[in-house]
Amino acid sequence: MTDILFERIALIGIGLIGSSIARDVKELGLAHEVVISTRSAETLKRAEELELGTAYTTSAADAVKNADLVIISVPVGASGSVAEHIAPSLKPGAIVTDVGSTKASVIAQMAPHIPQNVHFIPGHPLAGTEKSGPDAGFTGLFRDRWCIFTPLPGTNAEALAQLRSFWERLGSRIDEMDAEHHDKVLAIVSHLPHIIAYNIVGTADDLGTVTESEVIKYSASGFRDFTRLAASDPTMWRDVCLHNKDAILEMLARFSEDLAYLQRAIRWGEGDKLFELFSRTRDIRRSIVQAGQDVDAANFGRPTPDAKP
């Protein structure tokens, strides 16, 4: 029994997600050929040095020729232009998917350009780190992580099953939902936390009464965990904010209301309200650990100076 799922895979974009896919495909032997494309000649050269694929090109249109699976791993704001560029070169029967964190916008941008004889299945692997670029990827990034499909009406069942099999081989758990629901869910579990982190780090940077050296020196008290999110790719997160605007604004409004409630409780010394909120949120943290989406290790599993390798 062969492990090959696709003869040729084209990866458009080779950052953290794209390079992690490339590494897994290579390690698992899921394709005979992996063609990598990115606009930056320097990034492409680095991908070749890392031996992430079998062929390399700065032309996305050339990359997708004869590809059975095309994975678009670019900032969501560039999705439409990429789809328009590659459309004439797509092989009939090919599967085109993406990894974008917003889905309604990506569908609106890409769907008009995808030929009728090509299977467009929007996707979003919920995995990543704050690192970016081809060196940031690693094997196993998607293991035991969710990958959400937001298939369009009339999606070919066989193509959907084939794409599902691909992500399952990478270790992902699969779920399906409509694009609008996906965007609302991601606004609260991913987009809002990143926005809050960017804002808190920005507030600390603007705070004239606390020096930068103090912010860095005492960051282990909690600030450090916000800086990890705030170190994420600025281009990607700019596009996420612009392309999931409605859902993010709705969640920001809810957050602002809850923050005002917390502010009043602190001002008026309402300890029972504070205790109830902190207890409820602690239970959510425990549920995340129990669901296998994080570890309950000391210091969040970070290595310590005396930790043995």
Side-chain angles (χ1 to χ4, degrees), residues 197-260:
Y198 279 118
N199 198 63
I200 287 176
V201 175
T203 299
D205 188 49
D206 291 339
L207 195 62
T209 56
V210 177
T211 67
E212 182 178 347
S213 62
E214 287 175 315
V215 168
I216 295 170
K217 181 177 179 181
Y218 303 122
S219 62
S221 60
F223 182 77
R224 172 188 61 190
D225 298 310
F226 284 105
T227 64
R228 187 188 68 79
L229 291 180
S232 299
D233 181 11
T235 300
M236 180 181 80
W237 283 99
R238 175 202 65 193
D239 282 11
V240 165
C241 288
L242 296 177
H243 289 270
N244 197 24
K245 179 172 65 174
D246 291 343
I248 289 174
L249 287 174
E250 178 184 341
M251 296 307 163
L252 274 172
R254 289 172 177 261
F255 176 77
S256 296
E257 292 171 2
D258 291 341
L259 193 61

Side-chain angles (χ1 to χ4, degrees), residues 111-144:
H113 302 293
I114 303 297
Q116 291 296 315
N117 58 3
V118 170
H119 308 296
F120 175 41
I121 307 174
H124 179 207
L126 274 64
T129 71
E130 72 277 16
K131 309 291 185 180
S132 58
D135 286 279
F138 56 91
T139 57
L141 173 64
F142 311 105
R143 196 172 300 136
D144 294 325

Side-chain angles (χ1 to χ4, degrees), residues 21-63:
I21 293 172
R23 285 174 166 90
D24 279 345
V25 168
K26 181 178 180 179
E27 182 174 278
L28 299 169
L30 302 183
H32 280 131
E33 299 176 82
V34 176
V35 185
I36 291 172
S37 177
T38 182
R39 292 184 303 174
S40 165
E42 182 180 354
T43 303
L44 191 68
K45 180 184 177 184
R46 183 56 185 155
E48 188 169 3
E49 290 170 349
L50 293 168
E51 299 181 342
L52 297 178
T54 58
Y56 307 84
T57 176
T58 54
S59 169
D62 288 345

